[in-house]
Amino acid sequence: MTTAPRPAAELSADEARRIALRAQGFLGAPDRRAGVRGVLRGLGQVQLDTISVLARSHELIPYARLGAVGRRTVEEAYWTEGHAFEYWSHAACILPVEEWPHFAFRRRAYRDRPHWNHQLADGAYEAVISQLKTEGPQTATELGGAKNKGEWWDWSDSKIAVERALMFGEVVVTERRGWKRVYDLAERAIPAALLHDDLDDRECLRRLVRQAGEALGVGTRADLADYHRIKGEAFDAVVADSGLVPVTVAGWGKPAWADPAALATEPRGRHRTTLLSPFDSLIWERPRTERIFGFTHRLEAYVPKQKRVYGYFAMPVLAGGRLVGRVDPARDGRTLVARQVTLDGAKAVPAVAQALREAAEWVGCDAVAVERVDAPELAPALVKALA
């Protein structure tokens, strides 16, 4: 592991928290002119996920920062005019198109050592490339079918081929249509000035470590490496040249680095009050969330129902720069249903009510119903605040 040089600054835990909130777009006035695309570029990536409760996670990310931006507006901001592409970063993510050159290291790694167990029939790869070339952007179904007739993981040859081409960088996902990936040739989808793998691995990693620092504001080795799922040793090799500066944060007990721009001015401004997707980059790394907010959160969608503590898709509530509770939401017609609400005491009631009302309006609901509150004595106050 890297031994950090003498720190450029000593931060209190509270200062680090506010730096992180500002870097992630939750403290200070949002840049509404830049809109959804500004959020994407500021974060460097927005994670995708199949789960849709109130909305899909990639819609919830800009909503949490900008407020009630139209859902169609969100999709158009991502997928029109060639502003973004989908690739593997922290997970499957939407990425700003200008970051294409910096993922050359990952494309090379996939070409050198493909990570799958699927066998590919002779000629299938070439056939998919040829079809995309002649027919334009296609879904896997249009390319010949996503699956065979076996189990759900039994991909068709065309699906295996196009996913392989995606990893190699010959094909790009340019949008999601009905949640299906739409594939196109990189030579058509990526601007010519960006369509290259000229940067060596070190330069790619240096840029992504710097970008992680800018998006997080301040972070430990694990925080910064995890942002784009870079190996710790790779982080160690480039952090000194990344432009990030070493800092110490009270109570963290680990070396940390910060974006120098984040240290230049004191984080001030209005705090957002909102529901957060569990896949939001503010909270997606559990150890960091616990360290910064003293808040333990785990997505329970894949936990057996009888073992869930907070609910299927419990969404943390951010207010005043703190995580003050959780809501497990659902929809019943035009009613947003809070199946389970967990509150950090009575002081959290107004903020949770505000977050629920705003989310309901955003998704087209005109009522909020509360099924269960972890502290039953607070349920009447929450219902009253909602009214």
Side-chain angles (χ1 to χ4, degrees), residues 112 141 160 261:
D112 292 343
T141 300
I160 297 170

Side-chain angles (χ1 to χ4, degrees), residues 153-190:
W153 61 83
D154 188 19
W155 283 1
S156 68
D157 282 340
S158 58
K159 174 66 172 176
I160 297 170
V162 77
E163 286 292 323
R164 189 169 296 191
L166 170 66
M167 288 177 158
F168 289 176
E170 193 168 359
V171 161
V172 176
V173 172
T174 57
E175 66 172 304
R176 291 275 185 146
R177 188 187 302 156
W179 198 242
K180 292 182 179 179
R181 284 174 164 171
V182 178
Y183 306 90
D184 197 5
L185 297 179
E187 63 191 44
R188 266 199 306 251
I190 303 298

Side-chain angles (χ1 to χ4, degrees), residues 45-79:
Q45 61 180 321
V46 167
Q47 186 174 343
L48 292 154
D49 193 78
T50 58
I51 298 173
S52 180
V53 180
L54 295 183
R56 292 199 188 276
S57 188
H58 68 283
E59 299 172 288
L60 291 165
I61 304 306
Y63 162 73
R65 291 156 175 81
L66 300 174
V69 57
R71 295 175 67 182
R72 180 179 293 276
T73 300
V74 172
E75 295 294 340
E76 290 178 351
Y78 288 141
W79 301 125

Side-chain angles (χ1 to χ4, degrees), residues 131 138-147 156 158-159:
Q131 186 172 338
Q138 305 260 289
T139 65
T141 300
E142 292 165 338
L143 285 167
K147 299 171 186 175
S156 68
S158 58
K159 174 66 172 176

Side-chain angles (χ1 to χ4, degrees), residues 349 353-354 356-357 366-370 379-387:
V349 168
Q354 178 184 337
L356 281 168
R357 287 196 307 269
D366 50 25
V368 179
V370 178
L382 178 60
V383 171
K384 182 178 179 181
L386 286 166

Side-chain angles (χ1 to χ4, degrees), residues 32 59 68 101 128 156 168-169 188 207 223 259 271 281 292 320 359:
R32 299 196 182 280
E59 299 172 288
V128 159
S156 68
F168 289 176
R188 266 199 306 251
R207 159 61 191 165
D223 297 344
D259 173 17
H271 287 284
S281 50
I292 292 180

